[in-house]
Amino acid sequence: MSVPHELSHDAERTRLAQADAGEQAWRAWGPYLSERAWGTVREDYSEHGTAWDYFPHDHARSRAYRWNEDGMAGVCDDRQTFCFALALWNGEDPILKERMFGLGGDGGNHGEDVKEYWWYEDSTPTHSFMRWRYHYPQAAFPYDDLVSVNTRRGRDDTEYELVDTGIFDEDRYWAVTVDYAKASPTDLCMVVTVANRGPDQATLHVLPSLWFRNTWAWGLPGSDRVPHLVGEPARRGRRRASSRGPAGPATPARLVGRHDTTGQVVLAGDGSPTPLLCDNESNAERLWGLPGRSAYPKDGINDHVVDGAATVNPDREGTKGALHYVLTVPAGEQRQIRLRLTRTGPPPGTAPPPALDLGTGFDAVLWARRAEANRWFDSLLPETTTPDEALVARQAIAGLMWGKQFYHFDVKRWLEGDPNSSPPPEGRRQGRNSAWWHMTSFDVISMPDPWEYPWYAAWDLAFHCVSLARVDPGFAKEQVLLLLREWYLHPNGQIPAYEWAFGDVNPPVHAWAALKVFEIDGSRDREFLARVMHKLMLNFTWWVNRKDTGGNNVFEGGFLGLDNVGPFDRSAALPVAGVLEQSDATGWMAMYALNLLDISIILAEQDRTWVDTACKFFEHFVYIAAAAYSQGLWDDEDAFFYDVLRLTDGSQVPLRVRSVVGLLPLAATTRLTAQTLERLPELGARIRWFLTNRPEYAHVMDARRLGPDGRQQRLLSMAGADHVVKLLARMLDTDEFLSEYGLRTLSRAHLDKPFTVTLGGQEFGVGYEPAESTSGLFGGNSNWRGPIWMPTNFLLISALRDYAAFFGDDLRVEYPTRSGVQLTLDEVADDLSARLISLFTRDGWGRRPIYGAAQLFQTHPDWRDLIAFPEYFHGDNGAGLGAWHQTGWTALVADLILTRRPTPRPDPPR
């Protein structure tokens, strides 16, 4: 096996360079195994799209997945031919703990919700070193209790969590940690540490598992070859005559797999575990009362360990296997298992596998990769970073790395069904995603969360890429490009939104993300920008053709990711005949036009054919920004942008809800410098023509001032210079949007004065609710009626930086509003960043706001430094809400930490 190369400060960067150059496939193996495949659209073949019911958690241990696999602490190759994961049994549970448990959309009183606690403590970009942590109760896991109590609770009640059951009382749990270190791209050393935190001796069954994804059972031509896995117990060598001690093992226990495309893969473990083998096939008899394909189906290991059933293959052969360890650990002590997962030969992989080193060579790999990871992360962090901030940033980045998942979904095949399966219901051909038959996914993609959202979401992915670019710009660029590729982008130009409804509309942030990634990567890769640009122009045209019903340059778009921020569901049919013209959609499109203008300018500096494109998107921006005012989205009296309901009789109803919808137009801004216009005189000429011949548009580009070089620059902004100050007065008001921990999505003014409107004889309203709303719109609890969201905060902070680059220190605003303290826009952005970072870091009392009143997470030394990255945060106290585990866009906090300005800024009153 490979020996680790010499420890180097730049070892991880060397691996990244080798991977980007195609020299060594360091990204080929990674944590790409999902943590939930059940309850997903891909596995749903029901008539009415009831994914949670069609494939529930109870089926997962017994039913072969069609499109992907799941497990705990899992890794696989980037084609998911094989999978490795950890299974556990505490001797009390009714089933093995092979996957995390949670409630589906209809089971949780606040929507889908995982009911377990695990964390990603570490991962380098190449996954050369990783660490995963899980707290597993020693008493029987309260499956039925969690289901029944949450079923009884309503939206007005809090969620009933695992910690609420008392199962962690007296520290009666196992702290299970897995460390991973790569000796080579396809040679992975692992240490499983199980620590008994309880007051009594306890026994834990540990089952490191290796299996092949089932690609053979579906009747597809050329895909019927079945891989082969055999189990071999540890074999001890002979004792020399001169030796009085016991003989040591000559060959550790192992699982040896053979696959037509992967070759030979071996999982070896130290000690003397028992190999258990079955088949990754459905237990048709248990599930449907029918004969199955295998006498030892997928749940055979589960039934054998839990019930002692004869359900594993006595010949130790199959397609799914585990090394079964039984560890008895005294109170307060721990035990370790060493494992090595290695590709030992190319196809056909029939040669005898070599012995795998689990001794000194193994130790050297683990030590070197851990040290290299420490040095690499240290090199990323600014010198002023506190140890607690460093801990948060490292775990945020680790979560992004662990959020990379293998995603396989052939929509046409899914709609039509497989040859060996019953035909899907006819209604599916007109149902969910039926218009996306062209789409075929077979990629590793950055997911919002490997359990709660184990599928990509277009605008989530754009935000992930910004933080990803700080650590792995090559992968970030691939991800930006991926959803624009021909097998994703719809022929009409639409970007797929997410698996539950590819045709939903996500905000058009891909161009913004592409620019951010380009800048973070050193502003060199113009080929990347050109590839992005070609596809984004198709998507921009789709928006213009499909989401501007009136052709008046103001846009619709539906919910646009902002669930229930308005008085009614913006994705559903309107309560009256008309069109809802949206300030956020129009702001997004103004920003989109400016992003494409900026990309065109960058490309035109080396290729003059892009000048015409720059002129085109300059004009698009001007028309959109001007229309926001002429069509009534801007309310001069309130100094705010609102949605407007335009009725069929020509009248309009402004929906005066002060929400993030009215702040997002601030993000539509850029600068044009004298140098740019000199390099691109055609663009300068077009702007001069506009100013002369279209004076009605001059107000959206009339802000001019001298830049730091003493030369003129021009501000292009949907919010004009005077409107920026007025909007910021709202945004930075503690009685409205500004909270201790960032910007709320809805003005707190609506707490005492909810907005109401009567339409079609019905009354609709919006009131401020800092946590999950009691509204049942959009299928469940509203997410956007008060909480703090990281991505919108990040966009607005970025906008403040852009305005600061134009106005410099000359423009100061009151911060907070009515405080009497005047700060520059950069100083405001600094403080907003600090507020968001403070969500995660310990305050003066040693408490992390994200954990709210959960004492176990606030004070227990074994829990308090394990960081969750929730979907959003309580608008008043900062407690984590929504998807509470590892939401990728919340990892933007790492970007805020990594880019903190070193100069201390004054602390304004709060």
Side-chain angles (χ1 to χ4, degrees):
M1 291 299 97
S2 301
V3 176
H5 57 71
E6 183 180 355
L7 180 62
S8 166
H9 178 79
D10 291 324
E12 180 61 18
R13 288 181 175 81
T14 298
R15 285 187 285 268
L16 279 172
Q18 291 171 338
D20 288 341
E23 297 171 358
Q24 292 199 59
W26 283 104
R27 298 189 190 94
W29 289 15
Y32 311 144
L33 181 66
S34 180
E35 287 168 341
R36 179 170 63 84
W38 58 276
T40 59
V41 168
R42 280 158 289 165
E43 301 296 336
D44 175 21
Y45 285 77
S46 66
E47 183 170 8
H48 301 294
T50 53
W52 291 100
D53 294 330
Y54 182 81
F55 202 134
H57 177 267
D58 182 59
H59 283 200
R61 68 182 182 277
S62 305
R63 186 167 162 184
Y65 293 119
R66 172 61 180 89
W67 295 102
N68 67 328
E69 297 285 341
D70 61 11
M72 303 192 309
V75 297
C76 66
D77 61 305
D78 56 10
R79 300 177 64 84
Q80 203 172 84
T81 53
F82 73 87
C83 305
F84 166 87
L86 196 64
L88 304 167
W89 188 51
N90 57 16
E92 302 291 337
D93 285 353
I95 58 175
L96 290 184
K97 180 63 68 176
E98 294 181 271
R99 55 190 53 81
M100 301 302 178
F101 173 72
L103 302 177
D106 296 331
N109 62 320
H110 289 191
E112 65 266 21
D113 184 42
V114 69
K115 300 297 183 184
E116 308 253 18
Y117 303 117
W118 76 107
W119 301 265
Y120 311 121
E121 290 196 78
D122 223 342
S123 180
T124 58
T126 65
H127 313 297
S128 58
F129 183 77
M130 302 188 294
R131 177 173 290 161
W132 176 93
R133 172 78 166 264
Y134 173 52
H135 289 177
Y136 180 40
Q138 293 178 351
F141 195 90
Y143 292 103
D144 293 340
D145 184 40
L146 289 166
V147 171
S148 62
V149 174
N150 278 285
T151 299
R152 293 195 301 270
R153 293 190 178 189
R155 283 192 295 268
D156 292 332
D157 302 313
T158 59
E159 293 172 293
Y160 185 58
E161 304 291 4
L162 182 59
V163 70
D164 298 326
T165 68
I167 203 164
F168 293 105
D169 291 353
E170 298 182 304
D171 289 344
R172 293 184 183 274
Y173 65 92
W174 296 96
V176 181
T177 304
V178 189
D179 287 347
Y180 312 73
K182 285 185 179 179
S184 78
T186 56
D187 183 7
L188 189 59
C189 302
M190 298 172 282
V191 174
V192 180
T193 303
V194 295
N196 179 2
R197 297 296 198 236
D200 302 313
Q201 177 175 282
T203 298
L204 180 66
H205 297 247
V206 182
L207 296 100
S209 303
L210 178 68
W211 71 98
F212 293 108
R213 180 168 61 89
N214 190 326
T215 58
W216 57 85
W218 319 110
L220 303 179
S223 299
D224 57 351
R225 296 287 295 275
V226 181
H228 189 237
L229 190 65
V230 298
E232 301 176 357
R235 295 197 303 270
R236 297 191 175 275
R238 294 179 180 177
R239 186 173 59 199
R240 294 182 182 179
S242 60
S243 173
R244 296 184 179 181
T251 304
R254 60 189 184 181
L255 302 172
V256 181
R258 187 173 69 249
H259 192 283
D260 282 351
T261 58
T262 301
Q264 187 181 85
V265 179
V266 176
L267 173 66
D270 66 350
S272 300
T274 302
L276 303 176
L277 279 295
C278 63
D279 291 312
N280 188 14
E281 300 274 7
S282 293
N283 186 340
E285 182 176 355
R286 174 184 180 256
L287 295 167
W288 307 294
L290 299 172
R293 290 170 50 98
S294 170
Y296 308 102
K298 179 179 176 180
D299 52 13
I301 295 173
N302 174 90
D303 294 352
H304 176 76
V305 173
V306 175
D307 300 321
T311 50
V312 294
N313 191 331
D315 295 328
R316 295 195 178 110
E317 295 181 339
T319 50
K320 176 184 177 182
L323 299 177
H324 182 198
Y325 291 85
V326 182
L327 305 178
T328 298
V329 185
E333 296 188 16
Q334 66 181 37
R335 297 289 183 268
Q336 290 188 329
I337 297 169
R338 292 171 173 235
L339 302 163
R340 194 156 191 166
L341 177 64
T342 307
R343 182 176 182 266
T344 50
T350 55
L356 302 185
D357 179 8
L358 294 169
T360 56
F362 181 102
D363 290 338
V365 171
L366 198 69
W367 180 86
R369 294 299 95 83
R370 182 187 295 119
E372 290 162 1
N374 290 338
R375 294 188 180 195
W376 182 76
F377 274 104
D378 287 346
S379 72
L380 288 176
L381 296 166
E383 291 182 0
T384 54
T385 306
T386 68
D388 200 32
E389 290 170 347
L391 180 146
V392 171
R394 187 158 180 168
Q395 292 188 41
I397 291 168
L400 274 178
M401 298 297 106
W402 279 88
K404 294 157 65 173
Q405 306 284 283
F406 171 78
Y407 186 84
H408 181 29
F409 192 15
D410 182 335
V411 178
K412 184 174 185 292
R413 169 60 59 198
W414 177 77
L415 290 168
E416 295 175 352
D418 294 309
N420 280 2
S421 302
S422 300
E426 186 62 30
R428 286 165 57 84
R429 295 181 181 273
Q430 289 79 45
R432 174 177 289 142
N433 296 333
S434 57
W436 291 79
W437 52 267
H438 75 284
M439 220 174 81
T440 304
S441 305
F442 196 82
D443 300 285
V444 172
I445 309 179
S446 177
M447 304 289 179
D449 180 273
W451 193 96
E452 302 227 24
Y453 302 126
W455 28 259
Y456 70 84
W459 83 307
D460 299 55
L461 181 58
F463 290 110
H464 301 178
C465 288
V466 174
S467 293
L468 284 168
R470 298 287 175 191
V471 295
D472 189 353
F475 181 73
K477 287 184 283 188
E478 289 177 5
Q479 293 292 288
V480 171
L481 285 164
L482 186 61
L483 298 192
L484 304 176
R485 298 300 302 271
E486 52 275 17
W487 54 89
Y488 285 92
L489 193 71
H490 197 282
N492 64 21
Q494 186 179 8
I495 295 173
Y498 42 77
E499 173 176 290
W500 284 90
F502 289 129
D504 268 0
V505 185
N506 272 190
V509 290
H510 257 63
W512 171 83
L515 276 168
K516 288 289 186 184
V517 170
F518 172 77
E519 293 165 2
I520 292 168
D521 189 40
S523 300
R524 300 181 299 266
D525 193 350
R526 284 177 168 79
E527 180 183 347
F528 159 70
L529 277 189
R531 293 180 65 193
V532 169
M533 187 69 179
H534 286 301
K535 299 298 180 69
L536 288 177
M537 286 192 292
L538 296 175
N539 180 247
F540 187 91
T541 303
W542 176 86
W543 272 90
V544 171
N545 290 338
R546 298 294 184 93
K547 296 301 174 183
D548 178 11
T549 303
N552 58 359
N553 289 301
V554 292
F555 290 81
E556 302 93 53
F559 87 109
L560 285 178
L562 309 184
D563 310 353
N564 301 333
V565 75
F568 47 79
D569 186 347
R570 300 194 301 175
S571 290
L574 295 176
V576 292
V579 174
L580 182 65
E581 296 181 331
Q582 299 175 207
S583 284
D584 55 340
T586 306
W588 288 123
M589 284 302 289
M591 185 180 88
Y592 200 177
L594 288 180
N595 295 152
L596 296 181
L597 168 63
D598 287 338
I599 294 174
S600 299
I601 288 171
I602 293 168
L603 296 174
E605 290 175 351
Q606 292 189 354
D607 181 352
R608 307 295 289 185
T609 61
W610 288 101
V611 174
D612 290 347
T613 310
C615 294
K616 169 185 171 59
F617 287 109
F618 162 74
E619 291 188 17
H620 264 299
F621 163 73
V622 170
Y623 294 143
I624 294 169
Y629 297 91
S630 65
Q631 300 298 316
L633 300 186
W634 173 258
D635 187 302
D636 201 50
E637 182 180 350
D638 287 357
F640 209 75
F641 288 100
Y642 294 124
D643 287 352
V644 170
L645 183 58
R646 196 172 301 278
L647 305 180
T648 52
D649 63 4
S651 62
Q652 62 184 40
V653 179
L655 302 178
R656 292 187 170 88
V657 180
R658 290 207 291 278
S659 73
V660 70
V661 164
L663 297 178
L664 284 170
L666 283 167
T669 183
T670 194
R671 292 178 299 140
L672 284 178
T673 65
Q675 295 93 320
T676 294
L677 299 180
E678 286 173 2
R679 289 194 297 266
L680 305 177
E682 302 95 328
L683 178 60
R686 189 61 182 167
I687 292 174
R688 288 191 295 274
W689 184 93
F690 247 81
L691 290 171
T692 302
N693 296 279
R694 297 288 187 268
E696 65 271 27
Y697 296 112
H699 66 282
V700 300
M701 52 179 175
D702 62 355
R704 291 176 292 173
R705 61 179 284 113
L706 298 181
D709 60 355
R711 307 190 66 188
Q712 189 180 90
Q713 55 180 342
R714 185 181 294 275
L715 179 71
L716 301 183
S717 174
M718 181 167 163
D722 54 338
H723 298 127
V724 168
V725 176
K726 293 177 181 178
L727 273 172
L728 290 181
R730 292 277 192 202
M731 188 176 90
L732 306 178
D733 189 337
T734 56
D735 290 339
E736 295 217 29
F737 293 98
L738 182 63
S739 84
E740 182 76 12
Y741 301 103
L743 299 171
R744 306 177 178 103
T745 55
L746 188 72
S747 171
R748 203 172 188 278
H750 289 304
L751 175 64
D752 297 323
K753 296 180 180 179
F755 170 81
T756 59
V757 62
T758 301
L759 300 168
Q762 300 181 68
E763 185 173 88
F764 300 88
V766 176
Y768 173 78
E769 296 181 77
E772 287 116 336
S773 170
T774 55
S775 167
L777 289 180
F778 211 75
N781 285 69
S782 167
N783 300 338
W784 289 86
R785 295 192 166 185
I788 299 158
W789 286 71
M790 187 67 70
T792 49
N793 273 259
F794 190 88
L795 275 172
L796 292 168
I797 289 171
S798 297
L800 286 172
R801 303 283 189 206
D802 292 336
Y803 289 115
F806 178 79
F807 290 109
D809 291 346
D810 294 339
L811 177 61
R812 294 177 175 268
V813 296
E814 202 173 26
Y815 184 74
T817 301
R818 299 187 308 279
S819 68
V821 177
Q822 298 285 325
L823 295 184
T824 68
L825 297 187
D826 263 331
E827 289 170 340
V828 173
D830 289 344
D831 187 71
L832 286 174
S833 297
R835 290 175 188 238
L836 292 168
I837 292 169
S838 73
L839 284 162
F840 302 89
T841 53
R842 292 192 198 174
D843 61 19
W845 293 272
R847 304 174 68 86
R848 302 185 191 278
I850 57 168
Y851 289 138
Q855 292 303 309
L856 183 67
F857 296 89
Q858 293 286 19
T859 60
H860 196 294
D862 206 30
W863 296 70
R864 65 187 181 190
D865 290 334
L866 298 169
I867 311 299
F869 294 87
E871 188 177 5
Y872 50 100
F873 310 89
H874 193 287
D876 294 334
N877 62 36
L881 300 167
W884 197 77
H885 174 233
Q886 181 68 45
T887 307
W889 65 14
T890 302
L892 286 165
V893 70
D895 187 273
L896 296 176
I897 292 171
L898 295 178
T899 58
R900 285 193 81 167
R901 301 200 311 166
T903 305
R905 294 293 160 183
D907 275 337
R910 299 195 177 190

